[in-house]
Amino acid sequence: MTKAAVSTKEAILNSAILLFNTKGYDGTSIRDISKRANVNPANISYYFHSKQGLLEACLVYFFEHYLKYMEEEVNSIQYDNRKECLKKAIYKILVFQGKNHFLSRLVWREISIDSQIIREITSSYLMKERYLLKRLLEEEEETHPMIYFKIIQLKSMITMPFLNSQYLREVLHIFPQEKYFIEKYYRVLEEWIENIDTEKKKGATTRISVP
Amino acid sequence: MTKAAVSTKEAILNSAILLFNTKGYDGTSIRDISKRANVNPANISYYFHSKQGLLEACLVYFFEHYLKYMEEEVNSIQYDNRKECLKKAIYKILVFQGKNHFLSRLVWREISIDSQIIREITSSYLMKERYLLKRLLEEEEETHPMIYFKIIQLKSMITMPFLNSQYLREVLHIFPQEKYFIEKYYRVLEEWIENIDTEKKKGATTRISVP
Protein backbone atom coordinates (compact mmCIF):
# COMPACT_ATOMS: atom_id res chain seq x y z
CA MET A 1 0.00 0.00 0.00
CA THR A 2 1.25 3.51 -0.72
CA LYS A 3 1.93 5.95 2.10
CA ALA A 4 -1.10 8.00 1.06
CA ALA A 5 -3.33 4.90 1.18
CA VAL A 6 -2.09 4.02 4.67
CA SER A 7 -2.83 7.50 5.92
CA THR A 8 -6.27 7.52 4.27
CA LYS A 9 -7.08 4.17 5.90
CA GLU A 10 -5.82 5.43 9.24
CA ALA A 11 -7.76 8.68 8.98
CA ILE A 12 -10.93 6.71 8.27
CA LEU A 13 -10.34 4.31 11.19
CA ASN A 14 -9.51 7.08 13.65
CA SER A 15 -12.58 9.07 12.65
CA ALA A 16 -14.75 5.98 12.93
CA ILE A 17 -13.43 5.18 16.43
CA LEU A 18 -14.02 8.75 17.57
CA LEU A 19 -17.55 8.96 16.17
CA PHE A 20 -18.60 5.46 17.31
CA ASN A 21 -17.50 6.51 20.81
CA THR A 22 -19.38 9.79 20.92
CA LYS A 23 -22.46 9.07 18.81
CA GLY A 24 -22.58 5.28 19.12
CA TYR A 25 -22.20 2.78 16.27
CA ASP A 26 -25.84 3.02 15.22
CA GLY A 27 -25.85 6.79 15.52
CA THR A 28 -22.92 7.20 13.12
CA SER A 29 -23.24 7.16 9.33
CA ILE A 30 -20.62 6.51 6.64
CA ARG A 31 -21.27 10.14 5.61
CA ASP A 32 -20.33 11.39 9.13
CA ILE A 33 -17.11 9.37 9.00
CA SER A 34 -16.09 10.52 5.54
CA LYS A 35 -16.79 14.13 6.48
CA ARG A 36 -14.74 13.93 9.66
CA ALA A 37 -11.87 12.05 7.98
CA ASN A 38 -12.04 14.47 5.06
CA VAL A 39 -12.14 11.66 2.50
CA ASN A 40 -14.55 10.65 -0.22
CA PRO A 41 -17.21 8.14 1.00
CA ALA A 42 -16.12 5.90 -1.90
CA ASN A 43 -12.78 5.42 -0.11
CA ILE A 44 -14.55 3.90 2.88
CA SER A 45 -16.35 1.42 0.62
CA TYR A 46 -13.08 0.62 -1.11
CA TYR A 47 -11.09 -0.12 2.04
CA PHE A 48 -13.74 -1.40 4.45
CA HIS A 49 -16.80 -2.26 2.31
CA SER A 50 -19.27 -0.95 4.88
CA LYS A 51 -19.75 0.51 8.34
CA GLN A 52 -19.81 -3.03 9.68
CA GLY A 53 -16.50 -3.68 7.91
CA LEU A 54 -15.06 -0.71 9.78
CA LEU A 55 -16.24 -2.02 13.15
CA GLU A 56 -14.87 -5.43 12.24
CA ALA A 57 -11.47 -3.90 11.43
CA CYS A 58 -11.44 -2.23 14.87
CA LEU A 59 -12.33 -5.46 16.69
CA VAL A 60 -9.79 -7.53 14.77
CA TYR A 61 -6.97 -5.05 15.36
CA PHE A 62 -7.76 -4.89 19.07
CA PHE A 63 -8.13 -8.61 19.73
CA GLU A 64 -5.13 -9.66 17.66
CA HIS A 65 -2.92 -7.52 19.92
CA TYR A 66 -4.75 -8.26 23.16
CA LEU A 67 -4.56 -12.02 22.66
CA LYS A 68 -0.96 -11.89 21.41
CA TYR A 69 0.14 -10.51 24.80
CA MET A 70 -1.60 -13.33 26.61
CA GLU A 71 -0.33 -15.96 24.22
CA GLU A 72 3.29 -14.83 24.52
CA GLU A 73 3.08 -15.24 28.28
CA VAL A 74 1.27 -18.58 28.14
CA ASN A 75 4.14 -19.81 25.96
CA SER A 76 6.60 -18.63 28.61
CA ILE A 77 4.98 -20.60 31.43
CA GLN A 78 7.45 -22.94 33.07
CA TYR A 79 7.54 -24.56 36.45
CA ASP A 80 6.68 -22.01 39.15
CA ASN A 81 6.56 -18.79 37.09
CA ARG A 82 2.87 -18.82 36.17
CA LYS A 83 1.94 -15.83 38.30
CA GLU A 84 4.81 -13.80 36.90
CA CYS A 85 3.60 -14.61 33.38
CA LEU A 86 0.08 -13.55 34.27
CA LYS A 87 1.39 -10.28 35.69
CA LYS A 88 3.42 -9.56 32.56
CA ALA A 89 0.44 -10.27 30.32
CA ILE A 90 -1.74 -7.93 32.37
CA TYR A 91 0.89 -5.21 32.31
CA LYS A 92 1.27 -5.40 28.52
CA ILE A 93 -2.51 -5.32 28.08
CA LEU A 94 -2.87 -2.27 30.31
CA VAL A 95 -0.14 -0.43 28.39
CA PHE A 96 -1.72 -1.39 25.06
CA GLN A 97 -5.13 -0.19 26.21
CA GLY A 98 -3.68 3.07 27.54
CA LYS A 99 -2.09 3.74 24.15
CA ASN A 100 -5.30 2.81 22.32
CA HIS A 101 -7.81 4.07 24.84
CA PHE A 102 -10.44 5.27 22.35
CA LEU A 103 -10.30 1.96 20.53
CA SER A 104 -10.39 -0.01 23.81
CA ARG A 105 -13.49 1.77 24.96
CA LEU A 106 -15.19 1.18 21.64
CA VAL A 107 -14.38 -2.54 21.68
CA TRP A 108 -15.50 -3.21 25.27
CA ARG A 109 -18.62 -1.18 24.70
CA GLU A 110 -19.59 -2.82 21.43
CA ILE A 111 -19.05 -6.38 22.63
CA SER A 112 -21.46 -5.77 25.48
CA ILE A 113 -24.30 -5.55 22.97
CA ASP A 114 -26.23 -8.71 22.26
CA SER A 115 -26.15 -8.68 18.45
CA GLN A 116 -25.55 -11.40 15.89
CA ILE A 117 -22.86 -9.38 14.08
CA ILE A 118 -20.76 -8.81 17.20
CA ARG A 119 -21.16 -12.43 18.26
CA GLU A 120 -19.91 -13.70 14.90
CA ILE A 121 -16.84 -11.50 14.96
CA THR A 122 -15.90 -11.98 18.60
CA SER A 123 -16.89 -15.51 19.62
CA SER A 124 -13.68 -17.20 18.47
CA TYR A 125 -11.58 -14.46 20.10
CA LEU A 126 -13.44 -14.77 23.37
CA MET A 127 -13.13 -18.56 23.41
CA LYS A 128 -9.40 -18.21 22.86
CA GLU A 129 -9.21 -15.59 25.60
CA ARG A 130 -10.96 -17.99 27.99
CA TYR A 131 -8.45 -20.73 27.18
CA LEU A 132 -5.46 -18.39 27.66
CA LEU A 133 -6.78 -16.90 30.91
CA LYS A 134 -7.39 -20.39 32.29
CA ARG A 135 -3.80 -21.33 31.49
CA LEU A 136 -2.53 -18.16 33.18
CA LEU A 137 -4.75 -18.45 36.26
CA GLU A 138 -4.72 -22.15 36.97
CA GLU A 139 -2.14 -24.55 38.35
CA GLU A 140 -1.69 -27.39 35.88
CA GLU A 141 -2.26 -30.12 38.46
CA GLU A 142 -5.54 -28.87 39.81
CA THR A 143 -8.58 -27.09 38.46
CA HIS A 144 -9.41 -23.98 40.46
CA PRO A 145 -13.00 -24.50 41.66
CA MET A 146 -13.81 -20.84 41.07
CA ILE A 147 -11.82 -20.41 37.87
CA TYR A 148 -14.63 -18.76 35.88
CA PHE A 149 -15.33 -16.38 38.73
CA LYS A 150 -11.67 -15.43 38.75
CA ILE A 151 -11.91 -14.81 35.00
CA ILE A 152 -14.94 -12.57 35.54
CA GLN A 153 -13.09 -10.61 38.21
CA LEU A 154 -9.89 -10.25 36.23
CA LYS A 155 -11.65 -9.28 33.00
CA SER A 156 -13.79 -6.74 34.81
CA MET A 157 -10.74 -5.06 36.31
CA ILE A 158 -8.83 -5.06 33.02
CA THR A 159 -11.64 -3.45 31.05
CA MET A 160 -13.47 -1.11 33.42
CA PRO A 161 -11.10 1.90 33.46
CA PHE A 162 -11.04 2.05 29.66
CA LEU A 163 -14.71 1.34 29.12
CA ASN A 164 -15.62 4.00 31.68
CA SER A 165 -12.85 6.48 30.97
CA GLN A 166 -15.19 9.46 31.14
CA TYR A 167 -16.39 8.28 34.58
CA LEU A 168 -12.80 8.03 35.80
CA ARG A 169 -12.01 11.45 34.38
CA GLU A 170 -15.06 13.32 35.52
CA VAL A 171 -15.97 11.66 38.81
CA LEU A 172 -12.64 10.37 40.14
CA HIS A 173 -10.34 12.81 38.29
CA ILE A 174 -8.17 9.92 37.13
CA PHE A 175 -6.89 9.76 33.54
CA PRO A 176 -6.75 6.15 32.37
CA GLN A 177 -4.67 6.89 29.29
CA GLU A 178 -1.78 8.31 31.33
CA LYS A 179 1.34 6.29 32.09
CA TYR A 180 1.02 7.24 35.77
CA PHE A 181 -2.40 5.61 35.96
CA ILE A 182 -1.22 2.45 34.18
CA GLU A 183 1.69 1.96 36.60
CA LYS A 184 -0.43 2.54 39.66
CA TYR A 185 -3.38 0.48 38.50
CA TYR A 186 -1.03 -2.32 37.54
CA ARG A 187 -0.02 -2.55 41.22
CA VAL A 188 -3.66 -3.01 42.21
CA LEU A 189 -4.00 -5.93 39.80
CA GLU A 190 -0.64 -7.31 40.88
CA GLU A 191 -1.86 -7.42 44.47
CA TRP A 192 -5.05 -9.13 43.37
CA ILE A 193 -2.96 -11.77 41.56
CA GLU A 194 -0.79 -12.25 44.66
CA ASN A 195 -3.91 -12.91 46.70
CA ILE A 196 -5.44 -15.57 44.44
CA ASP A 197 -4.18 -18.64 46.29
CA THR A 198 -4.56 -17.07 49.71
CA GLU A 199 -8.23 -16.68 48.97
CA LYS A 200 -8.47 -20.27 47.84
CA LYS A 201 -7.00 -21.51 51.12
CA LYS A 202 -9.12 -19.12 53.17
CA GLY A 203 -12.23 -20.08 51.20
CA ALA A 204 -11.76 -23.71 52.20
CA THR A 205 -11.81 -22.99 55.93
CA THR A 206 -14.06 -20.00 56.55
CA ARG A 207 -17.63 -19.81 55.37
CA ILE A 208 -19.33 -16.53 56.06
CA SER A 209 -23.08 -16.62 55.71
CA VAL A 210 -24.97 -14.49 53.23
CA PRO A 211 -26.57 -11.53 55.03
CA MET B 1 -52.82 6.16 37.86
CA THR B 2 -55.28 3.48 36.77
CA LYS B 3 -54.23 -0.15 36.56
CA ALA B 4 -54.41 0.01 32.76
CA ALA B 5 -52.14 3.06 32.71
CA VAL B 6 -49.58 1.33 34.95
CA SER B 7 -49.51 -1.71 32.70
CA THR B 8 -49.23 0.46 29.55
CA LYS B 9 -46.32 2.33 31.10
CA GLU B 10 -44.67 -0.92 32.13
CA ALA B 11 -45.17 -2.47 28.70
CA ILE B 12 -43.54 0.56 27.10
CA LEU B 13 -40.60 0.51 29.53
CA ASN B 14 -40.02 -3.23 29.17
CA SER B 15 -40.12 -3.05 25.38
CA ALA B 16 -37.75 -0.09 25.40
CA ILE B 17 -35.27 -1.92 27.67
CA LEU B 18 -35.36 -4.99 25.45
CA LEU B 19 -34.92 -3.08 22.20
CA PHE B 20 -32.24 -0.71 23.53
CA ASN B 21 -30.31 -3.85 24.57
CA THR B 22 -30.55 -5.67 21.28
CA LYS B 23 -30.55 -2.82 18.75
CA GLY B 24 -28.85 -0.12 20.81
CA TYR B 25 -30.39 3.17 21.91
CA ASP B 26 -29.63 4.93 18.63
CA GLY B 27 -30.78 1.95 16.58
CA THR B 28 -34.22 1.89 18.21
CA SER B 29 -37.09 4.15 17.17
CA ILE B 30 -40.25 5.16 19.06
CA ARG B 31 -42.11 3.27 16.31
CA ASP B 32 -40.18 0.02 17.12
CA ILE B 33 -41.03 0.43 20.80
CA SER B 34 -44.73 1.13 20.24
CA LYS B 35 -44.97 -1.84 17.89
CA ARG B 36 -43.29 -4.20 20.33
CA ALA B 37 -45.31 -2.93 23.32
CA ASN B 38 -48.45 -3.04 21.23
CA VAL B 39 -49.44 0.52 22.16
CA ASN B 40 -50.11 3.66 20.19
CA PRO B 41 -46.97 5.85 19.70
CA ALA B 42 -48.98 8.72 21.21
CA ASN B 43 -48.95 6.85 24.52
CA ILE B 44 -45.16 6.98 24.60
CA SER B 45 -45.21 10.75 24.04
CA TYR B 46 -47.85 11.09 26.75
CA TYR B 47 -45.97 9.16 29.44
CA PHE B 48 -42.32 9.75 28.52
CA HIS B 49 -42.30 12.71 26.07
CA SER B 50 -39.54 11.21 23.91
CA LYS B 51 -37.07 8.37 23.45
CA GLN B 52 -34.67 10.29 25.66
CA GLY B 53 -37.40 10.54 28.30
CA LEU B 54 -37.66 6.76 28.21
CA LEU B 55 -33.94 6.30 28.70
CA GLU B 56 -34.05 8.85 31.51
CA ALA B 57 -36.85 6.90 33.23
CA CYS B 58 -34.72 3.74 33.05
CA LEU B 59 -31.65 5.46 34.50
CA VAL B 60 -33.62 7.14 37.29
CA TYR B 61 -35.37 3.92 38.32
CA PHE B 62 -32.08 2.04 38.37
CA PHE B 63 -30.01 4.60 40.27
CA GLU B 64 -32.70 5.42 42.84
CA HIS B 65 -32.69 1.77 43.90
CA TYR B 66 -28.97 1.18 43.53
CA LEU B 67 -28.09 4.21 45.67
CA LYS B 68 -30.80 3.47 48.22
CA TYR B 69 -29.10 0.16 49.08
CA MET B 70 -25.79 1.92 49.62
CA GLU B 71 -27.35 4.75 51.58
CA GLU B 72 -29.20 2.39 53.93
CA GLU B 73 -25.93 0.72 54.79
CA VAL B 74 -23.98 3.95 55.15
CA ASN B 75 -26.63 5.00 57.68
CA SER B 76 -26.06 1.75 59.58
CA ILE B 77 -22.32 2.28 59.96
CA GLN B 78 -21.30 2.19 63.59
CA TYR B 79 -18.01 1.54 65.29
CA ASP B 80 -16.36 -1.55 63.77
CA ASN B 81 -19.14 -2.78 61.45
CA ARG B 82 -18.15 -0.90 58.30
CA LYS B 83 -17.12 -3.98 56.35
CA GLU B 84 -20.34 -5.76 57.24
CA CYS B 85 -22.31 -2.78 55.97
CA LEU B 86 -20.34 -2.76 52.73
CA LYS B 87 -21.01 -6.47 52.27
CA LYS B 88 -24.73 -6.02 52.85
CA ALA B 89 -24.90 -3.16 50.35
CA ILE B 90 -23.07 -5.25 47.74
CA TYR B 91 -25.35 -8.21 48.34
CA LYS B 92 -28.50 -6.12 47.95
CA ILE B 93 -27.13 -4.54 44.76
CA LEU B 94 -26.29 -7.92 43.26
CA VAL B 95 -29.79 -9.24 44.03
CA PHE B 96 -31.38 -6.10 42.58
CA GLN B 97 -29.31 -6.38 39.41
CA GLY B 98 -30.11 -10.08 39.05
CA LYS B 99 -33.81 -9.31 39.24
CA ASN B 100 -33.45 -6.41 36.78
CA HIS B 101 -30.72 -7.83 34.61
CA PHE B 102 -31.92 -6.38 31.29
CA LEU B 103 -32.24 -2.95 32.85
CA SER B 104 -28.84 -3.26 34.56
CA ARG B 105 -27.12 -4.08 31.31
CA LEU B 106 -28.78 -1.19 29.58
CA VAL B 107 -27.76 1.26 32.29
CA TRP B 108 -24.11 0.18 32.52
CA ARG B 109 -23.85 0.12 28.78
CA GLU B 110 -25.41 3.53 28.21
CA ILE B 111 -23.42 5.33 30.87
CA SER B 112 -20.22 4.17 29.18
CA ILE B 113 -20.99 6.45 26.25
CA ASP B 114 -19.49 9.90 26.28
CA SER B 115 -22.58 11.96 25.54
CA GLN B 116 -23.93 15.18 26.96
CA ILE B 117 -27.38 13.68 27.63
CA ILE B 118 -26.05 10.77 29.67
CA ARG B 119 -23.69 13.06 31.57
CA GLU B 120 -26.51 15.38 32.57
CA ILE B 121 -28.71 12.59 33.85
CA THR B 122 -26.06 10.58 35.65
CA SER B 123 -23.48 13.02 37.01
CA SER B 124 -25.26 13.74 40.28
CA TYR B 125 -25.97 10.02 40.82
CA LEU B 126 -22.34 9.12 40.19
CA MET B 127 -21.09 11.83 42.55
CA LYS B 128 -23.38 10.51 45.24
CA GLU B 129 -22.23 6.95 44.52
CA ARG B 130 -18.62 8.07 44.95
CA TYR B 131 -19.43 9.64 48.31
CA LEU B 132 -21.29 6.54 49.53
CA LEU B 133 -18.61 4.12 48.34
CA LYS B 134 -15.93 6.19 50.08
CA ARG B 135 -17.91 6.01 53.32
CA LEU B 136 -18.30 2.24 52.94
CA LEU B 137 -14.68 1.56 51.99
CA GLU B 138 -12.77 3.93 54.21
CA GLU B 139 -11.96 4.03 57.88
CA GLU B 140 -13.12 7.36 59.27
CA GLU B 141 -9.78 8.19 60.88
CA GLU B 142 -7.61 7.71 57.83
CA THR B 143 -7.93 8.22 54.12
CA HIS B 144 -7.09 5.08 52.18
CA PRO B 145 -4.27 6.14 49.83
CA MET B 146 -5.70 4.01 47.02
CA ILE B 147 -9.37 4.74 47.72
CA TYR B 148 -10.27 5.63 44.11
CA PHE B 149 -8.53 2.54 42.84
CA LYS B 150 -10.58 0.48 45.27
CA ILE B 151 -13.70 2.17 43.94
CA ILE B 152 -12.67 1.31 40.36
CA GLN B 153 -12.11 -2.32 41.34
CA LEU B 154 -15.33 -2.65 43.29
CA LYS B 155 -17.45 -0.96 40.65
CA SER B 156 -15.94 -3.07 37.91
CA MET B 157 -16.77 -6.27 39.77
CA ILE B 158 -20.32 -5.15 40.59
CA THR B 159 -21.17 -4.23 37.01
CA MET B 160 -19.27 -6.62 34.74
CA PRO B 161 -21.44 -9.77 35.01
CA PHE B 162 -24.57 -7.80 34.16
CA LEU B 163 -23.05 -5.64 31.47
CA ASN B 164 -21.54 -8.69 29.82
CA SER B 165 -24.32 -11.17 30.52
CA GLN B 166 -24.19 -12.65 27.02
CA TYR B 167 -20.42 -13.22 27.44
CA LEU B 168 -21.03 -15.04 30.75
CA ARG B 169 -23.80 -17.10 29.17
CA GLU B 170 -22.13 -18.02 25.92
CA VAL B 171 -18.46 -18.25 26.82
CA LEU B 172 -18.47 -19.23 30.49
CA HIS B 173 -21.92 -20.89 30.61
CA ILE B 174 -22.80 -18.88 33.70
CA PHE B 175 -26.21 -17.25 34.04
CA PRO B 176 -25.91 -13.96 35.90
CA GLN B 177 -29.63 -13.58 36.51
CA GLU B 178 -29.86 -16.83 38.50
CA LYS B 179 -29.96 -16.89 42.28
CA TYR B 180 -27.20 -19.51 42.29
CA PHE B 181 -24.85 -17.12 40.50
CA ILE B 182 -25.67 -14.22 42.79
CA GLU B 183 -24.91 -16.25 45.94
CA LYS B 184 -21.65 -17.59 44.57
CA TYR B 185 -20.46 -14.34 43.08
CA TYR B 186 -21.30 -12.56 46.31
CA ARG B 187 -18.73 -14.78 48.06
CA VAL B 188 -16.08 -13.67 45.57
CA LEU B 189 -16.77 -10.04 46.40
CA GLU B 190 -16.96 -10.81 50.10
CA GLU B 191 -13.45 -12.28 49.96
CA TRP B 192 -12.24 -9.23 48.10
CA ILE B 193 -13.70 -7.02 50.86
CA GLU B 194 -12.05 -9.17 53.53
CA ASN B 195 -8.68 -8.65 51.81
CA ILE B 196 -8.84 -4.85 51.58
CA ASP B 197 -6.81 -4.05 54.68
CA THR B 198 -4.44 -6.96 54.24
CA GLU B 199 -3.48 -5.51 50.89
CA LYS B 200 -2.97 -2.11 52.45
CA LYS B 201 -0.54 -3.50 55.02
CA LYS B 202 1.25 -5.62 52.43
CA GLY B 203 1.44 -2.67 50.06
CA ALA B 204 3.34 -0.69 52.67
CA THR B 205 6.10 -3.26 53.05
CA THR B 206 6.53 -5.02 49.72
CA ARG B 207 7.17 -3.16 46.49
CA ILE B 208 7.34 -5.40 43.45
CA SER B 209 8.83 -3.76 40.40
CA VAL B 210 6.91 -3.33 37.16
CA PRO B 211 8.03 -5.98 34.62
Side-chain angles (χ1 to χ4, degrees):
Chain A
M1 235 178 351
T2 64
K3 215 170 157 184
V6 171
S7 75
T8 302
K9 251 189 113 171
E10 263 182 20
I12 295 168
L13 270 176
N14 289 334
S15 302
I17 292 168
L18 196 108
L19 290 167
F20 290 162
N21 267 324
T22 46
K23 302 174 69 163
Y25 174 75
D26 290 299
T28 304
S29 68
I30 288 284
R31 215 177 142 81
D32 297 333
I33 298 166
S34 67
K35 216 170 151 190
R36 167 119 214 156
N38 204 15
V39 300
N40 192 301
N43 275 321
I44 301 185
S45 309
Y46 178 74
Y47 289 118
F48 300 99
H49 304 288
S50 60
K51 194 169 75 163
Q52 194 191 314
L54 258 168
L55 180 60
E56 201 168 324
C58 292
L59 290 164
V60 168
Y61 178 86
F62 182 86
F63 279 111
E64 292 290 342
H65 283 80
Y66 173 83
L67 292 176
K68 189 189 74 190
Y69 300 129
M70 285 190 193
E71 202 160 23
E72 279 170 4
E73 293 305 324
V74 165
N75 292 335
S76 307
I77 296 179
Q78 287 178 326
Y79 175 75
D80 222 24
N81 73 339
R82 196 183 40 82
K83 274 193 177 182
E84 291 312 308
C85 293
L86 175 58
K87 284 180 196 171
K88 278 185 197 155
I90 299 303
Y91 184 70
K92 286 180 194 170
I93 287 167
L94 291 179
V95 170
F96 170 70
Q97 289 189 112
K99 279 186 187 148
N100 298 274
H101 58 105
F102 285 128
L103 174 66
S104 304
R105 180 159 67 158
L106 171 65
V107 167
W108 296 127
R109 189 165 187 279
E110 285 307 317
I111 70 161
S112 76
I113 204 162
D114 197 3
S115 85
Q116 191 62 30
I117 302 163
I118 294 290
R119 227 178 290 152
E120 277 169 18
I121 304 169
T122 58
S123 63
S124 60
Y125 287 126
L126 294 175
M127 291 306 279
K128 192 172 175 187
E129 182 205 33
R130 186 186 79 175
Y131 165 76
L132 294 170
L133 283 177
K134 272 187 82 166
R135 289 289 310 276
L136 286 165
L137 277 164
E138 211 164 49
E139 308 286 346
E140 286 228 40
E141 323 85 67
E142 51 172 335
T143 303
H144 197 297
M146 297 287 272
I147 182 72
Y148 285 174
F149 287 78
K150 291 287 148 198
I151 289 178
I152 292 171
Q153 261 187 302
L154 183 56
K155 263 178 71 76
S156 73
M157 291 187 289
I158 290 173
T159 58
M160 191 279 195
F162 303 97
L163 176 65
N164 295 295
S165 51
Q166 88 297 354
Y167 165 79
L168 263 74
R169 257 194 338 264
E170 284 166 31
V171 182
L172 305 183
H173 313 298
I174 285 175
F175 298 84
Q177 72 275 28
E178 283 180 1
K179 199 164 162 41
Y180 172 78
F181 169 78
I182 304 288
E183 302 296 332
K184 208 159 175 183
Y185 193 59
Y186 167 70
R187 303 226 181 266
V188 173
L189 288 177
E190 191 182 42
E191 280 177 358
W192 181 84
I193 293 168
E194 288 295 329
N195 270 326
I196 292 176
D197 295 329
T198 327
E199 280 176 18
K200 208 164 89 187
K201 276 179 219 130
K202 264 185 65 186
T205 51
T206 55
R207 279 294 81 188
I208 300 142
S209 66
V210 169
Chain B
M1 238 182 343
T2 65
K3 216 171 158 184
V6 170
S7 74
T8 302
K9 250 188 116 170
E10 262 181 21
I12 295 168
L13 269 177
N14 288 335
S15 302
I17 292 167
L18 196 107
L19 290 168
F20 290 163
N21 266 325
T22 47
K23 304 174 68 162
Y25 174 75
D26 290 300
T28 303
S29 67
I30 288 284
R31 214 175 143 83
D32 297 333
I33 298 166
S34 68
K35 217 170 150 188
R36 167 118 215 159
N38 205 13
V39 301
N40 193 302
N43 274 320
I44 301 185
S45 308
Y46 178 74
Y47 289 119
F48 300 99
H49 304 288
S50 60
K51 194 169 76 161
Q52 193 190 316
L54 258 168
L55 179 61
E56 199 168 326
C58 292
L59 290 164
V60 168
Y61 178 86
F62 182 86
F63 279 110
E64 292 291 342
H65 284 80
Y66 174 84
L67 292 176
K68 189 190 73 190
Y69 300 129
M70 285 189 193
E71 201 159 25
E72 279 170 6
E73 294 304 325
V74 164
N75 292 336
S76 306
I77 295 178
Q78 286 178 327
Y79 175 75
D80 221 23
N81 73 341
R82 196 182 40 83
K83 274 193 178 182
E84 290 311 308
C85 294
L86 176 57
K87 286 181 195 171
K88 277 184 198 155
I90 299 303
Y91 184 71
K92 287 180 193 169
I93 287 167
L94 290 180
V95 171
F96 170 71
Q97 289 190 112
K99 278 186 187 150
N100 299 276
H101 57 106
F102 284 128
L103 174 65
S104 304
R105 179 157 69 156
L106 172 64
V107 167
W108 296 128
R109 190 166 186 280
E110 286 308 318
I111 69 160
S112 76
I113 205 163
D114 196 4
S115 84
Q116 191 62 30
I117 301 162
I118 294 290
R119 226 177 291 152
E120 276 169 19
I121 304 169
T122 57
S123 64
S124 61
Y125 286 126
L126 294 176
M127 291 306 279
K128 191 170 175 189
E129 182 205 34
R130 186 186 79 173
Y131 165 77
L132 294 170
L133 283 177
K134 272 186 81 164
R135 288 289 311 273
L136 287 165
L137 277 163
E138 212 165 48
E139 308 287 346
E140 287 228 40
E141 323 84 68
E142 51 173 333
T143 302
H144 197 296
M146 298 287 273
I147 183 71
Y148 285 172
F149 287 77
K150 292 286 148 201
I151 290 178
I152 292 171
Q153 261 187 303
L154 184 57
K155 264 179 71 77
S156 72
M157 292 188 288
I158 290 174
T159 58
M160 192 279 195
F162 303 98
L163 176 66
N164 295 293
S165 51
Q166 89 296 355
Y167 165 79
L168 265 73
R169 258 193 340 264
E170 284 166 30
V171 182
L172 305 183
H173 313 299
I174 284 175
F175 298 84
Q177 72 274 29
E178 285 180 1
K179 198 164 161 45
Y180 172 79
F181 169 78
I182 304 289
E183 301 298 331
K184 210 160 172 180
Y185 192 61
Y186 167 71
R187 304 228 179 265
V188 172
L189 288 177
E190 190 182 42
E191 280 177 358
W192 180 84
I193 294 168
E194 288 295 328
N195 271 324
I196 293 175
D197 294 329
T198 325
E199 282 175 19
K200 206 165 89 186
K201 275 178 219 131
K202 265 185 64 184
T205 51
T206 55
R207 281 290 84 188
I208 301 143
S209 65
V210 169

